[in-house]
Amino acid sequence: MRLLLLPSIALPLCIAAGCRPAPAPLPVIVHADGQVAWRGIMPCADCAGIAVHLVLEREGGERRYQLVETYLLADGRGARFVEHGQWRQQADLLQLHGSDDSHRTYALAADGRLQARDSHGRRLPVQDDAMLSPIVP
């Protein structure tokens, strides 16, 4: 019951004070090892789908990620690709900068899911409903 009262008290106080809500933090689904992870299947033009597993790690000032994409082939096999790099969060956008100079952007939904976006944070037309779901430890 107390958890339900907190938002109903905090929001009017924030509005009365003229402040803006803070950007959504990363979901509070932190694993015992301090990592946050998502998983999902993204659409693919020439395969059955792309299984995606994204892990973010924050250690001191370092913000590292590992992204594993497995292209699911019709015969049940998959072609696996692994990417590493640094990440940062700006408001509700999560930006990944790979060690191979790749750049990816995801929007963080209020429920903790991630949606792939273009480099400016705009929706991708072909992946509008594809989301990565947080992995609960």
Short mmCIF file of all heavy atoms in Angstrom, two decimals, residues 79-134:
data_model
loop_
_atom_site.label_atom_id
_atom_site.label_comp_id
_atom_site.label_asym_id
_atom_site.label_seq_id
_atom_site.Cartn_x
_atom_site.Cartn_y
_atom_site.Cartn_z
N ALA A 79 23.95 -18.49 -37.01
CA ALA A 79 25.24 -17.82 -37.18
C ALA A 79 25.35 -16.79 -36.06
O ALA A 79 24.53 -15.88 -35.95
CB ALA A 79 25.31 -17.15 -38.55
N ARG A 80 26.37 -16.94 -35.21
CA ARG A 80 26.51 -16.14 -33.99
C ARG A 80 27.56 -15.05 -34.17
O ARG A 80 28.65 -15.30 -34.68
CB ARG A 80 26.91 -17.07 -32.85
CG ARG A 80 26.95 -16.43 -31.50
CD ARG A 80 27.17 -17.52 -30.44
NE ARG A 80 27.11 -16.96 -29.13
CZ ARG A 80 28.15 -16.84 -28.32
NH1 ARG A 80 29.33 -17.30 -28.68
NH2 ARG A 80 28.00 -16.30 -27.14
N PHE A 81 27.20 -13.83 -33.72
CA PHE A 81 28.10 -12.68 -33.77
C PHE A 81 28.15 -12.03 -32.40
O PHE A 81 27.12 -11.85 -31.76
CB PHE A 81 27.63 -11.67 -34.81
CG PHE A 81 27.59 -12.22 -36.20
CD1 PHE A 81 26.43 -12.81 -36.70
CD2 PHE A 81 28.71 -12.17 -37.01
CE1 PHE A 81 26.39 -13.34 -37.98
CE2 PHE A 81 28.68 -12.70 -38.29
CZ PHE A 81 27.52 -13.29 -38.77
N VAL A 82 29.35 -11.69 -31.94
CA VAL A 82 29.54 -11.08 -30.62
C VAL A 82 30.18 -9.72 -30.80
O VAL A 82 31.15 -9.57 -31.55
CB VAL A 82 30.42 -11.98 -29.71
CG1 VAL A 82 30.63 -11.34 -28.35
CG2 VAL A 82 29.82 -13.37 -29.57
N GLU A 83 29.64 -8.75 -30.09
CA GLU A 83 30.15 -7.38 -30.15
C GLU A 83 30.39 -6.89 -28.72
O GLU A 83 29.61 -7.18 -27.82
CB GLU A 83 29.10 -6.51 -30.84
CG GLU A 83 29.43 -5.05 -30.94
CD GLU A 83 28.30 -4.28 -31.62
OE1 GLU A 83 27.94 -4.62 -32.76
OE2 GLU A 83 27.78 -3.35 -30.99
N HIS A 84 31.47 -6.15 -28.51
CA HIS A 84 31.81 -5.56 -27.21
C HIS A 84 32.03 -4.07 -27.39
O HIS A 84 32.36 -3.63 -28.48
CB HIS A 84 33.10 -6.17 -26.65
CG HIS A 84 33.02 -7.62 -26.37
ND1 HIS A 84 33.27 -8.58 -27.32
CD2 HIS A 84 32.68 -8.27 -25.25
CE1 HIS A 84 33.11 -9.78 -26.77
NE2 HIS A 84 32.75 -9.62 -25.52
N GLY A 85 31.88 -3.34 -26.31
CA GLY A 85 32.17 -1.91 -26.37
C GLY A 85 31.76 -1.19 -25.11
O GLY A 85 31.62 -1.79 -24.05
N GLN A 86 31.54 0.11 -25.26
CA GLN A 86 31.15 0.99 -24.17
C GLN A 86 29.71 1.45 -24.38
O GLN A 86 29.25 1.54 -25.51
CB GLN A 86 32.06 2.23 -24.13
CG GLN A 86 33.54 1.91 -24.02
CD GLN A 86 33.88 1.31 -22.67
OE1 GLN A 86 33.44 1.78 -21.64
NE2 GLN A 86 34.68 0.25 -22.68
N TRP A 87 29.01 1.75 -23.28
CA TRP A 87 27.64 2.23 -23.38
C TRP A 87 27.47 3.50 -22.55
O TRP A 87 28.25 3.79 -21.66
CB TRP A 87 26.63 1.18 -22.93
CG TRP A 87 26.72 0.81 -21.47
CD1 TRP A 87 27.49 -0.17 -20.92
CD2 TRP A 87 26.00 1.40 -20.39
NE1 TRP A 87 27.31 -0.21 -19.57
CE2 TRP A 87 26.38 0.73 -19.21
CE3 TRP A 87 25.07 2.43 -20.30
CZ2 TRP A 87 25.88 1.06 -17.96
CZ3 TRP A 87 24.56 2.76 -19.05
CH2 TRP A 87 24.96 2.07 -17.90
N ARG A 88 26.42 4.25 -22.90
CA ARG A 88 26.03 5.41 -22.09
C ARG A 88 24.53 5.59 -22.23
O ARG A 88 23.91 5.15 -23.20
CB ARG A 88 26.79 6.66 -22.50
CG ARG A 88 26.41 7.21 -23.84
CD ARG A 88 27.19 8.46 -24.14
NE ARG A 88 26.74 8.98 -25.42
CZ ARG A 88 26.98 10.18 -25.84
NH1 ARG A 88 27.70 10.99 -25.10
NH2 ARG A 88 26.56 10.60 -27.00
N GLN A 89 23.96 6.26 -21.25
CA GLN A 89 22.52 6.53 -21.26
C GLN A 89 22.31 8.03 -21.27
O GLN A 89 22.90 8.75 -20.48
CB GLN A 89 21.84 5.92 -20.03
CG GLN A 89 20.34 6.12 -20.05
CD GLN A 89 19.64 5.56 -18.83
OE1 GLN A 89 20.28 5.04 -17.93
NE2 GLN A 89 18.34 5.64 -18.81
N GLN A 90 21.47 8.49 -22.20
CA GLN A 90 21.05 9.88 -22.25
C GLN A 90 19.54 9.89 -22.25
O GLN A 90 18.91 9.44 -23.22
CB GLN A 90 21.57 10.57 -23.50
CG GLN A 90 23.07 10.81 -23.47
CD GLN A 90 23.51 11.65 -24.63
OE1 GLN A 90 23.20 11.37 -25.78
NE2 GLN A 90 24.26 12.69 -24.33
N ALA A 91 18.97 10.36 -21.15
CA ALA A 91 17.51 10.33 -20.94
C ALA A 91 17.03 8.90 -21.12
O ALA A 91 17.52 8.01 -20.44
CB ALA A 91 16.82 11.33 -21.86
N ASP A 92 16.10 8.67 -22.05
CA ASP A 92 15.58 7.32 -22.23
C ASP A 92 16.26 6.57 -23.37
O ASP A 92 15.77 5.54 -23.81
CB ASP A 92 14.07 7.35 -22.44
CG ASP A 92 13.66 8.02 -23.74
OD1 ASP A 92 14.49 8.77 -24.30
OD2 ASP A 92 12.53 7.81 -24.19
N LEU A 93 17.39 7.07 -23.85
CA LEU A 93 18.13 6.40 -24.92
C LEU A 93 19.40 5.75 -24.38
O LEU A 93 20.15 6.36 -23.62
CB LEU A 93 18.50 7.39 -26.03
CG LEU A 93 17.35 7.97 -26.83
CD1 LEU A 93 17.88 8.94 -27.87
CD2 LEU A 93 16.50 6.89 -27.47
N LEU A 94 19.61 4.53 -24.79
CA LEU A 94 20.81 3.78 -24.45
C LEU A 94 21.65 3.70 -25.72
O LEU A 94 21.18 3.24 -26.75
CB LEU A 94 20.41 2.37 -23.99
CG LEU A 94 21.54 1.43 -23.63
CD1 LEU A 94 22.31 1.94 -22.43
CD2 LEU A 94 20.98 0.05 -23.34
N GLN A 95 22.88 4.20 -25.65
CA GLN A 95 23.75 4.24 -26.83
C GLN A 95 24.94 3.30 -26.62
O GLN A 95 25.62 3.38 -25.60
CB GLN A 95 24.22 5.66 -27.08
CG GLN A 95 23.05 6.57 -27.40
CD GLN A 95 23.43 8.03 -27.48
OE1 GLN A 95 24.36 8.47 -26.80
NE2 GLN A 95 22.72 8.77 -28.30
N LEU A 96 25.14 2.41 -27.58
CA LEU A 96 26.23 1.45 -27.55
C LEU A 96 27.27 1.86 -28.59
O LEU A 96 26.93 2.12 -29.75
CB LEU A 96 25.72 0.05 -27.87
CG LEU A 96 24.53 -0.46 -27.06
CD1 LEU A 96 24.16 -1.87 -27.52
CD2 LEU A 96 24.82 -0.44 -25.58
N HIS A 97 28.52 1.91 -28.19
CA HIS A 97 29.63 2.24 -29.08
C HIS A 97 30.59 1.06 -29.07
O HIS A 97 31.32 0.85 -28.11
CB HIS A 97 30.33 3.53 -28.65
CG HIS A 97 29.41 4.71 -28.60
ND1 HIS A 97 29.04 5.39 -29.74
CD2 HIS A 97 28.76 5.29 -27.59
CE1 HIS A 97 28.20 6.35 -29.41
NE2 HIS A 97 28.01 6.31 -28.10
N GLY A 98 30.56 0.28 -30.15
CA GLY A 98 31.34 -0.95 -30.23
C GLY A 98 32.82 -0.72 -30.44
O GLY A 98 33.23 0.30 -31.01
N SER A 99 33.61 -1.67 -30.00
CA SER A 99 35.06 -1.59 -30.19
C SER A 99 35.43 -1.66 -31.67
O SER A 99 36.53 -1.26 -32.05
CB SER A 99 35.76 -2.69 -29.40
OG SER A 99 35.25 -3.96 -29.79
N ASP A 100 34.50 -2.14 -32.51
CA ASP A 100 34.73 -2.19 -33.96
C ASP A 100 34.17 -0.94 -34.65
O ASP A 100 33.98 -0.92 -35.84
CB ASP A 100 34.10 -3.44 -34.55
CG ASP A 100 32.59 -3.48 -34.36
OD1 ASP A 100 32.03 -2.60 -33.65
OD2 ASP A 100 31.95 -4.39 -34.91
N ASP A 101 33.91 0.12 -33.86
CA ASP A 101 33.39 1.40 -34.33
C ASP A 101 31.92 1.35 -34.73
O ASP A 101 31.44 2.22 -35.43
CB ASP A 101 34.24 1.96 -35.47
CG ASP A 101 34.38 3.47 -35.37
OD1 ASP A 101 34.12 4.02 -34.29
OD2 ASP A 101 34.73 4.10 -36.39
N SER A 102 31.18 0.33 -34.30
CA SER A 102 29.75 0.28 -34.56
C SER A 102 29.02 1.17 -33.55
O SER A 102 29.54 1.46 -32.47
CB SER A 102 29.25 -1.16 -34.45
OG SER A 102 29.42 -1.63 -33.12
N HIS A 103 27.83 1.62 -33.92
CA HIS A 103 26.99 2.45 -33.05
C HIS A 103 25.57 1.92 -33.11
O HIS A 103 25.03 1.69 -34.20
CB HIS A 103 27.02 3.91 -33.51
CG HIS A 103 28.37 4.51 -33.45
ND1 HIS A 103 28.91 5.01 -32.29
CD2 HIS A 103 29.32 4.67 -34.40
CE1 HIS A 103 30.13 5.47 -32.54
NE2 HIS A 103 30.40 5.27 -33.82
N ARG A 104 24.97 1.73 -31.94
CA ARG A 104 23.58 1.27 -31.85
C ARG A 104 22.88 2.12 -30.81
O ARG A 104 23.48 2.54 -29.83
CB ARG A 104 23.50 -0.20 -31.44
CG ARG A 104 24.13 -1.15 -32.43
CD ARG A 104 24.15 -2.55 -31.84
NE ARG A 104 24.91 -3.46 -32.65
CZ ARG A 104 24.36 -4.37 -33.45
NH1 ARG A 104 23.06 -4.48 -33.52
NH2 ARG A 104 25.12 -5.17 -34.15
N THR A 105 21.58 2.32 -31.02
CA THR A 105 20.76 3.09 -30.09
C THR A 105 19.51 2.31 -29.77
O THR A 105 18.88 1.73 -30.66
CB THR A 105 20.40 4.46 -30.69
OG1 THR A 105 21.60 5.16 -31.01
CG2 THR A 105 19.58 5.29 -29.73
N TYR A 106 19.14 2.29 -28.49
CA TYR A 106 17.91 1.64 -28.03
C TYR A 106 17.15 2.64 -27.17
O TYR A 106 17.75 3.42 -26.43
CB TYR A 106 18.22 0.41 -27.17
CG TYR A 106 18.79 -0.75 -27.93
CD1 TYR A 106 20.16 -0.90 -28.07
CD2 TYR A 106 17.96 -1.71 -28.51
CE1 TYR A 106 20.70 -1.97 -28.77
CE2 TYR A 106 18.49 -2.77 -29.21
CZ TYR A 106 19.85 -2.90 -29.34
OH TYR A 106 20.38 -3.96 -30.03
N ALA A 107 15.82 2.60 -27.26
CA ALA A 107 14.97 3.39 -26.38
C ALA A 107 14.57 2.51 -25.21
O ALA A 107 14.22 1.34 -25.37
CB ALA A 107 13.73 3.86 -27.13
N LEU A 108 14.64 3.07 -24.01
CA LEU A 108 14.27 2.37 -22.79
C LEU A 108 12.82 2.70 -22.47
O LEU A 108 12.48 3.85 -22.21
CB LEU A 108 15.19 2.80 -21.65
CG LEU A 108 14.96 2.17 -20.30
CD1 LEU A 108 15.20 0.66 -20.38
CD2 LEU A 108 15.88 2.80 -19.27
N ALA A 109 11.96 1.68 -22.52
CA ALA A 109 10.54 1.85 -22.20
C ALA A 109 10.36 1.90 -20.69
O ALA A 109 11.22 1.46 -19.92
CB ALA A 109 9.73 0.70 -22.80
N ALA A 110 9.23 2.44 -20.26
CA ALA A 110 8.94 2.56 -18.83
C ALA A 110 8.94 1.21 -18.12
O ALA A 110 9.26 1.13 -16.94
CB ALA A 110 7.61 3.26 -18.63
N ASP A 111 8.61 0.14 -18.84
CA ASP A 111 8.56 -1.19 -18.23
C ASP A 111 9.91 -1.91 -18.26
O ASP A 111 10.02 -3.07 -17.90
CB ASP A 111 7.49 -2.05 -18.89
CG ASP A 111 7.75 -2.33 -20.36
OD1 ASP A 111 8.79 -1.86 -20.90
OD2 ASP A 111 6.92 -3.00 -20.99
N GLY A 112 10.96 -1.22 -18.73
CA GLY A 112 12.30 -1.80 -18.73
C GLY A 112 12.70 -2.49 -20.02
O GLY A 112 13.83 -2.92 -20.17
N ARG A 113 11.78 -2.59 -20.99
CA ARG A 113 12.13 -3.22 -22.27
C ARG A 113 12.90 -2.22 -23.13
O ARG A 113 12.84 -1.03 -22.93
CB ARG A 113 10.87 -3.70 -22.98
CG ARG A 113 10.16 -4.81 -22.23
CD ARG A 113 8.96 -5.34 -22.96
NE ARG A 113 8.01 -4.26 -23.25
CZ ARG A 113 7.13 -4.29 -24.25
NH1 ARG A 113 7.06 -5.33 -25.05
NH2 ARG A 113 6.32 -3.28 -24.44
N LEU A 114 13.65 -2.77 -24.10
CA LEU A 114 14.43 -1.96 -25.03
C LEU A 114 13.89 -2.12 -26.44
O LEU A 114 13.52 -3.22 -26.85
CB LEU A 114 15.90 -2.39 -25.02
CG LEU A 114 16.71 -2.12 -23.77
CD1 LEU A 114 18.13 -2.66 -23.95
CD2 LEU A 114 16.76 -0.64 -23.46
N GLN A 115 13.91 -1.01 -27.18
CA GLN A 115 13.50 -1.04 -28.59
C GLN A 115 14.61 -0.40 -29.42
O GLN A 115 15.07 0.70 -29.11
CB GLN A 115 12.21 -0.25 -28.76
CG GLN A 115 11.69 -0.28 -30.19
CD GLN A 115 10.39 0.49 -30.33
OE1 GLN A 115 10.31 1.63 -29.89
NE2 GLN A 115 9.40 -0.14 -30.91
N ALA A 116 15.04 -1.10 -30.47
CA ALA A 116 16.09 -0.57 -31.35
C ALA A 116 15.59 0.71 -32.02
O ALA A 116 14.44 0.80 -32.43
CB ALA A 116 16.46 -1.62 -32.40
N ARG A 117 16.48 1.68 -32.13
CA ARG A 117 16.16 2.96 -32.76
C ARG A 117 17.28 3.34 -33.73
O ARG A 117 18.34 2.73 -33.73
CB ARG A 117 16.04 4.06 -31.70
CG ARG A 117 14.92 3.86 -30.69
CD ARG A 117 13.56 4.03 -31.37
NE ARG A 117 12.45 3.80 -30.47
CZ ARG A 117 11.77 4.76 -29.87
NH1 ARG A 117 12.09 6.02 -30.07
NH2 ARG A 117 10.76 4.46 -29.09
N ASP A 118 17.02 4.37 -34.53
CA ASP A 118 18.09 4.85 -35.40
C ASP A 118 19.06 5.70 -34.57
O ASP A 118 18.85 5.90 -33.36
CB ASP A 118 17.53 5.60 -36.62
CG ASP A 118 16.96 6.97 -36.32
OD1 ASP A 118 17.12 7.48 -35.18
OD2 ASP A 118 16.36 7.57 -37.22
N SER A 119 20.11 6.21 -35.17
CA SER A 119 21.15 6.91 -34.42
C SER A 119 20.66 8.20 -33.77
O SER A 119 21.30 8.72 -32.86
CB SER A 119 22.34 7.22 -35.33
OG SER A 119 21.92 8.05 -36.40
N HIS A 120 19.50 8.71 -34.20
CA HIS A 120 18.92 9.92 -33.62
C HIS A 120 17.83 9.61 -32.61
O HIS A 120 17.17 10.51 -32.11
CB HIS A 120 18.37 10.83 -34.72
CG HIS A 120 19.41 11.24 -35.71
ND1 HIS A 120 20.42 12.14 -35.42
CD2 HIS A 120 19.63 10.85 -36.98
CE1 HIS A 120 21.19 12.30 -36.48
NE2 HIS A 120 20.74 11.53 -37.44
N GLY A 121 17.60 8.32 -32.36
CA GLY A 121 16.58 7.92 -31.39
C GLY A 121 15.19 7.77 -31.98
O GLY A 121 14.23 7.53 -31.25
N ARG A 122 15.07 7.88 -33.30
CA ARG A 122 13.75 7.73 -33.95
C ARG A 122 13.43 6.26 -34.16
O ARG A 122 14.32 5.43 -34.33
CB ARG A 122 13.73 8.47 -35.28
CG ARG A 122 13.89 9.98 -35.13
CD ARG A 122 13.82 10.65 -36.49
NE ARG A 122 14.90 10.19 -37.34
CZ ARG A 122 15.87 10.96 -37.83
NH1 ARG A 122 15.89 12.24 -37.56
NH2 ARG A 122 16.81 10.46 -38.59
N ARG A 123 12.14 5.95 -34.17
CA ARG A 123 11.67 4.58 -34.38
C ARG A 123 12.12 4.05 -35.73
O ARG A 123 12.17 4.78 -36.71
CB ARG A 123 10.16 4.50 -34.33
CG ARG A 123 9.59 4.74 -32.97
CD ARG A 123 8.06 4.60 -33.01
NE ARG A 123 7.49 4.85 -31.72
CZ ARG A 123 7.23 3.91 -30.83
NH1 ARG A 123 7.49 2.66 -31.11
NH2 ARG A 123 6.72 4.20 -29.66
N LEU A 124 12.43 2.75 -35.77
CA LEU A 124 12.75 2.07 -37.02
C LEU A 124 11.45 1.51 -37.58
O LEU A 124 10.75 0.79 -36.88
CB LEU A 124 13.76 0.95 -36.78
CG LEU A 124 15.11 1.38 -36.22
CD1 LEU A 124 15.94 0.16 -35.83
CD2 LEU A 124 15.86 2.21 -37.23
N PRO A 125 11.11 1.81 -38.82
CA PRO A 125 9.82 1.38 -39.35
C PRO A 125 9.63 -0.14 -39.41
O PRO A 125 8.54 -0.63 -39.18
CB PRO A 125 9.77 1.99 -40.75
CG PRO A 125 11.17 2.35 -41.08
CD PRO A 125 11.90 2.54 -39.79
N VAL A 126 10.67 -0.89 -39.68
CA VAL A 126 10.52 -2.33 -39.82
C VAL A 126 10.54 -3.07 -38.48
O VAL A 126 10.18 -4.22 -38.41
CB VAL A 126 11.60 -2.94 -40.74
CG1 VAL A 126 11.42 -2.41 -42.15
CG2 VAL A 126 12.98 -2.64 -40.22
N GLN A 127 10.98 -2.41 -37.41
CA GLN A 127 11.06 -3.07 -36.11
C GLN A 127 10.22 -2.35 -35.07
O GLN A 127 10.55 -2.34 -33.89
CB GLN A 127 12.52 -3.13 -35.64
CG GLN A 127 13.39 -3.94 -36.54
CD GLN A 127 14.82 -4.03 -36.02
OE1 GLN A 127 15.20 -3.35 -35.08
NE2 GLN A 127 15.61 -4.88 -36.63
N ASP A 128 9.12 -1.76 -35.47
CA ASP A 128 8.34 -0.92 -34.59
C ASP A 128 7.86 -1.64 -33.34
O ASP A 128 7.81 -1.06 -32.27
CB ASP A 128 7.15 -0.33 -35.36
CG ASP A 128 6.59 0.88 -34.67
OD1 ASP A 128 7.36 1.67 -34.10
OD2 ASP A 128 5.37 1.02 -34.67
N ASP A 129 7.52 -2.92 -33.44
CA ASP A 129 6.97 -3.62 -32.28
C ASP A 129 7.96 -4.61 -31.66
O ASP A 129 7.64 -5.28 -30.70
CB ASP A 129 5.68 -4.34 -32.65
CG ASP A 129 5.89 -5.39 -33.74
OD1 ASP A 129 6.94 -5.36 -34.41
OD2 ASP A 129 5.00 -6.24 -33.91
N ALA A 130 9.17 -4.71 -32.19
CA ALA A 130 10.17 -5.64 -31.66
C ALA A 130 10.84 -5.04 -30.45
O ALA A 130 11.33 -3.92 -30.48
CB ALA A 130 11.20 -5.97 -32.74
N MET A 131 10.83 -5.80 -29.35
CA MET A 131 11.41 -5.32 -28.09
C MET A 131 12.28 -6.38 -27.46
O MET A 131 12.04 -7.58 -27.63
CB MET A 131 10.29 -4.96 -27.10
CG MET A 131 9.28 -3.96 -27.60
SD MET A 131 9.86 -2.26 -27.54
CE MET A 131 9.45 -1.82 -25.87
N LEU A 132 13.30 -5.94 -26.72
CA LEU A 132 14.11 -6.83 -25.92
C LEU A 132 13.57 -6.74 -24.49
O LEU A 132 13.35 -5.64 -23.98
CB LEU A 132 15.57 -6.41 -25.94
CG LEU A 132 16.26 -6.42 -27.31
CD1 LEU A 132 17.70 -5.93 -27.18
CD2 LEU A 132 16.21 -7.79 -27.94
N SER A 133 13.38 -7.87 -23.84
CA SER A 133 12.84 -7.92 -22.49
C SER A 133 13.95 -8.09 -21.47
O SER A 133 14.90 -8.82 -21.70
CB SER A 133 11.85 -9.08 -22.35
OG SER A 133 10.78 -8.89 -23.23
N PRO A 134 13.80 -7.43 -20.30
CA PRO A 134 14.81 -7.60 -19.26
C PRO A 134 14.83 -9.03 -18.76
O PRO A 134 13.80 -9.70 -18.70
CB PRO A 134 14.36 -6.66 -18.15
CG PRO A 134 13.09 -6.03 -18.58
CD PRO A 134 12.73 -6.54 -19.92
#
